[in-house]
Amino acid sequence: MVKAVETTLEIDLNALEHNYSHLKARLKPSTKFMAVVKAFAYGSDMAIIAKKLEALRVDYFAVAYVNEGVMLRNAGVKTPILVLHPQSVNFDELIERCLEPSIYSLRVLKQFLTVAKQHGQSDYPVHLKFNTGLNRLGFWERDVNFILQQIHNRQEIKIKSIFSHLAASEDAAEKEFSLKQISLFEKVGAELQEKLEYPFMKHMLNTSGIVNFSKAQYEMVRSGIGLYGYANDAAIDGQLKPVATLKTIISQIHKIEPHESVGYNRAFKADGYKMTATLPIGHADGIGRQYGMGKTSVLVNGQPALIIGNVCMDMMMVDVTGIDCKEGDEVIVFGGPLSAETFAKTANTISYEILTGISQRVKRTVKK
Ligand SMILES: *Cc1c(COP(=O)(O)O)cnc(C)c1O
């Protein structure tokens, strides 16, 4: 393994391949796989991740916004791309770059039909999103007839799939609610299919859905976090491998006398002799102040070292008292032996947030 010489997010493509195979092995061979690569592929690198998954013949990509789909197209990605939450101002660009919109309301349906007509499109692939209980985006069941009226005798679009999203797929206590969402989705799907003369795909499961509700895999699933090595479930996490490892180095070591302070607002006060290490990574890199004040540890030569005082914009200080280390040594912030999920929990958040928050200032490398 190459040692870090500056703050680096290291991307392990073998881990990605392992996770992809693991998730696919939980599905029927015929089930299509949509890889969710929004938000820079959960904070890693969209182009690197998507090119690898394309080489592994993933069926579909999903992004949140049109500009993310454009980034994939600019990177040479040819696989179909669903845009989960397109803004109508970007519909022209969406069509020009062959991106496929999620359409989630009557307003958006009308807007898209208008733009598709202006572009002279016929059978443009679209995906209808139904709300089954998350109450975030989606048509309601009662909208089915209106949708059919709107598209009746219109050539511009073709419904390629319908989909919905579970509100609590990782939560065993909400199993009944999830099953209700699934049965409502099946009801809506059957209603629409009865009146539409051509078939469409259905998809509902995110990563935890694949783990907990695999019966509802239909024709396709949409997985994000699992590909990156986390599954909201300690047992499954053990079978996945983290793709991203955030590494940094020790810039300087200080010997702190009793009652001296460290950092802004003198927020850490030494209760004895301490050794501290200053690291070139701060809240502008995505390690927020909520990780400071002794809540969270990083790994210095394999030993946990607490982040002390206030995290600064470009630096943070860790307590290395009693740890054998020197300036220039590598530090693991998370990934590898220190799961991002464990790291995130110390600040009451989830792996998704810490991963996607690593700023674009941090250099990305691919693990050799
Ligand atoms: C982000 C997202 C996913 C991926 O969820 P994971 O829990 O990361 O697998 C799937 N579907 C929709 C609609 C999403 O917004």
Side-chain angles (χ1 to χ4, degrees), residues 36 38 42 84 129 136 163 165 206-208 222-226 232 352:
V36 182
K38 61 195 180 191
Y42 287 45
L84 292 164
K129 172 113 189 234
R136 189 172 73 173
F163 70 111
H165 198 31
N206 65 345
T207 302
S208 291
R222 305 183 303 274
S223 175
I225 198 76
N232 310 307
Y352 298 72

Side-chain angles (χ1 to χ4, degrees), residues 111-122:
Q111 286 171 331
F112 191 75
L113 279 167
T114 304
V115 179
K117 190 176 169 130
Q118 286 163 0
H119 283 256
Q121 292 294 327
S122 56

Side-chain angles (χ1 to χ4, degrees), residues 99-365:
L99 306 170
E100 302 176 11
S102 157
I103 293 183
Y104 54 86
S105 73
L106 304 172
R107 179 182 67 90
V108 175
L109 176 59
K110 287 183 192 167
Q111 286 171 331
F112 191 75
L113 279 167
T114 304
V115 179
K117 190 176 169 130
Q118 286 163 0
H119 283 256
Q121 292 294 327
S122 56
D123 288 345
Y124 197 91
V126 305
H127 306 259
L128 301 183
K129 172 113 189 234
F130 283 90
N131 173 29
T132 54
L134 180 58
N135 292 330
R136 189 172 73 173
L137 285 181
F139 287 105
W140 294 73
E141 184 196 359
R142 61 171 181 263
D143 296 328
V144 167
N145 281 327
F146 191 95
I147 295 168
L148 289 162
Q149 273 169 30
Q150 283 296 306
I151 64 173
H152 184 67
N153 284 335
R154 301 277 307 242
Q155 260 64 72
E156 292 91 336
I157 64 170
K158 181 158 192 188
I159 298 168
K160 197 156 168 193
S161 82
I162 69 164
F163 70 111
S164 188
H165 198 31
L166 293 167
S169 56
E170 69 276 38
D171 195 345
E174 295 293 354
K175 183 168 180 192
E176 229 172 285
F177 185 85
S178 298
L179 292 173
K180 252 194 223 154
Q181 283 193 270
I182 288 168
S183 69
L184 176 56
F185 181 61
E186 288 180 1
K187 183 157 172 267
V188 173
E191 270 173 43
L192 195 65
Q193 191 61 88
E194 197 186 295
K195 294 172 187 151
L196 209 62
E197 52 283 10
Y198 55 86
F200 49 80
M201 294 188 283
K202 295 194 297 296
H203 45 107
M204 180 140 204
L205 302 181
N206 65 345
T207 302
S208 291
I210 294 171
V211 171
N212 297 319
F213 300 97
S214 69
K215 277 206 179 111
Q217 61 188 270
Y218 313 118
E219 288 75 33
M220 186 155 68
V221 297
R222 305 183 303 274
S223 175
I225 198 76
L227 288 172
Y228 308 104
Y230 301 94
N232 310 307
D233 176 316
I236 311 292
D237 284 1
Q239 299 170 52
L240 300 173
K241 297 182 181 170
V243 166
T245 301
L246 182 59
K247 297 175 167 185
T248 187
I249 59 168
I250 297 177
S251 294
Q252 196 177 16
I253 291 180
H254 289 287
K255 186 174 179 193
I256 306 294
E257 308 273 331
H259 309 300
E260 279 196 297
S261 62
V262 176
Y264 285 133
N265 314 103
R266 309 193 61 206
F268 175 81
K269 294 225 169 90
D271 57 7
Y273 288 99
K274 296 283 175 195
M275 299 301 286
T276 67
T278 303
L279 313 180
I281 182 169
H283 61 73
D285 301 291
I287 308 300
R289 283 167 59 106
Q290 63 272 30
Y291 293 99
M293 302 303 290
K295 280 192 216 66
T296 313
S297 301
V298 300
L299 285 181
V300 176
N301 292 333
Q303 306 257 55
L306 279 177
I307 304 169
I308 54 171
N310 284 321
V311 173
C312 317
M313 189 185 297
D314 314 308
M315 284 169 257
M316 61 192 196
M317 281 69 87
V318 298
D319 184 350
V320 293
T321 311
I323 299 177
D324 183 15
C325 61
K326 59 183 188 309
E327 293 175 359
D329 279 0
E330 184 178 274
V331 175
I332 292 180
V333 182
F334 63 71
L338 181 57
S339 124
E341 181 69 20
T342 310
F343 188 88
K345 272 213 180 96
T346 60
N348 293 320
T349 185
I350 54 176
S351 57
Y352 298 72
E353 188 183 9
I354 185 70
L355 291 172
T356 58
I358 300 309
S359 81
Q360 292 301 299
R361 182 165 82 173
V362 175
K363 185 179 170 187
R364 270 67 174 167
T365 57

